Amino acid sequence: MAVWRSEGGQLDNAGFRRIIRELRLPRRTGVAELCAAVGDRLGRPVRLRRAELPPELPSGLVLVTGTAFVVFLDALADPWLQDGIACHELAHLLLGHHLEPLTDPEASRRILPTLEPGTVDRALTRTCYDEDSERAAEALGTALFGRLNPWVPGSGEAVIDRIERALGSG
């Protein structure tokens, strides 16, 4: 399973760009293609599931089973927000956060009490990460989201120039 690690566990913007480049995504891609690329990178499929998540849960979470990663997204969230949530959860996987020991071994039981023991190796939620992990996943997730949605301002002046040219004022 190939995850990205850096010395001290920190990556910078150049490291995030390298991760995205190594995924070999097409210029414009969708969440399904992104899941497939992450699954290829990590050696097991990534499946997206939408469900109405209880308000006390985060809007996205990852279940790690022996054969797949299952990313749950809040079905009540707007579609663009679901894309952002998926990118954030995929970033956790790419950064290897699913390999870190759980701070709360009973988390998956409380989140999904109806699943049989052993079905879920772990449930990754924001309660299982420290602030550095969460910041790194947010940064990489935002970069991944930018690949899904190149219109999202990220390069500031270039976006403004393109809009002005399109409006004939640039």
Side-chain angles (χ1 to χ4, degrees):
M1 192 175 299
V3 297
W4 283 276
R5 294 286 187 165
S6 64
E7 287 187 34
Q10 300 297 315
L11 286 170
D12 57 11
N13 287 337
F16 296 140
R17 284 191 300 272
R18 181 178 52 84
I19 290 170
I20 293 170
R21 187 173 52 252
E22 290 177 9
L23 286 174
R24 293 187 166 91
L25 298 167
R27 179 171 159 77
R28 294 188 142 236
T29 193
V31 173
E33 294 85 5
L34 180 57
C35 287
V38 172
D40 288 346
R41 177 70 186 190
L42 300 180
R44 75 173 79 160
V46 175
R47 297 187 178 109
L48 280 183
R49 300 289 184 260
R50 287 165 178 80
E52 290 185 22
L53 298 177
E56 64 273 11
L57 289 182
S59 53
L61 60 101
V62 178
L63 298 183
V64 180
T65 72
T67 59
F69 299 110
V70 185
V71 177
F72 279 90
L73 307 173
D74 189 347
L76 298 178
D78 287 333
W80 66 269
L81 182 55
Q82 289 181 19
D83 287 352
I85 295 164
C87 289
H88 179 90
E89 300 304 331
L90 292 170
H92 277 299
L93 291 172
L94 288 167
L95 294 169
H97 297 161
H98 61 289
L99 301 173
E100 297 171 7
L102 284 175
T103 56
D104 182 356
E106 292 297 313
S108 60
R109 169 69 50 216
R110 281 197 315 279
I111 293 167
L112 296 165
T114 60
L115 289 180
E116 291 184 33
T119 301
V120 177
D121 293 339
R122 64 180 58 216
L124 302 181
T125 68
R126 282 167 185 75
T127 61
C128 299
Y129 304 128
D130 61 26
E131 286 184 32
D132 289 338
S133 296
E134 216 31 62
R135 272 195 297 275
E138 192 61 30
L140 178 55
T142 299
L144 289 168
F145 185 72
R147 284 303 295 267
L148 296 180
N149 302 287
W151 52 266
V152 173
S155 57
E157 290 181 44
V159 173
I160 292 169
D161 288 344
R162 217 175 14 201
I163 292 170
E164 288 177 342
R165 279 194 309 276
L167 296 174
S169 59

